[in-house]
Amino acid sequence: MDLKVWILSGVIGAGSVLLWWIIRKAIDGVYARLDRMIEQNEETGKMLVEHGNELKSLDRRINVNENRLNDHAKRIRQLEINKQ
C-alpha cells in the first residue's frame, strides 16, 4: 500500500508541476501579446499625432491660399468698379 501511495503522490506532484508550467506559459503568452498591443498602440498614437500636425499645416496653407484668392477677388472687383 505504501508503494501505491508513494507512486500516486509522485504522479499527482508531477501533474501539479506540469499544470503549473502550462498555466505559467499561457500567462507569459498573454503578457507578450499585451506588450505587443501596447507597442502597436504607442506607434499608432505617434503616427496619429504626426498626421494631425500635417493636417494642421495643410489647413493653415489652405487658409493662406483662401485669403489670397479673396484678396485677388476684391482687387478684380475694385478694378471693375474703377473701369465703370
Side-chain angles (χ1 to χ4, degrees):
M1 189 73 169
D2 290 333
L3 182 60
K4 289 180 183 179
V5 172
W6 184 80
I7 291 173
L8 186 58
S9 296
V11 169
I12 291 173
S16 297
V17 169
L18 180 62
L19 183 60
W20 173 84
W21 182 81
I22 291 170
I23 291 171
R24 187 71 201 152
K25 288 296 178 180
I27 290 171
D28 289 345
V30 169
Y31 283 148
R33 274 187 267 140
L34 288 174
D35 286 341
R36 283 193 301 270
M37 290 171 65
I38 289 170
E39 288 174 11
Q40 288 174 347
N41 284 342
E42 289 172 352
E43 291 174 13
T44 302
K46 288 177 186 176
M47 288 187 340
L48 286 173
V49 168
E50 289 174 10
H51 289 302
N53 290 337
E54 290 173 5
L55 287 173
K56 287 177 186 175
S57 175
L58 288 172
D59 187 48
R60 283 191 293 269
R61 289 181 195 163
I62 289 170
N63 286 337
V64 167
N65 288 334
E66 282 179 328
N67 291 340
R68 287 180 183 166
L69 286 173
N70 288 334
D71 289 343
H72 288 301
K74 286 178 187 175
R75 287 181 191 159
I76 289 171
R77 274 183 267 163
Q78 190 62 38
L79 288 172
E80 290 174 351
I81 290 171
N82 289 340
K83 281 184 182 180
Q84 295 175 356

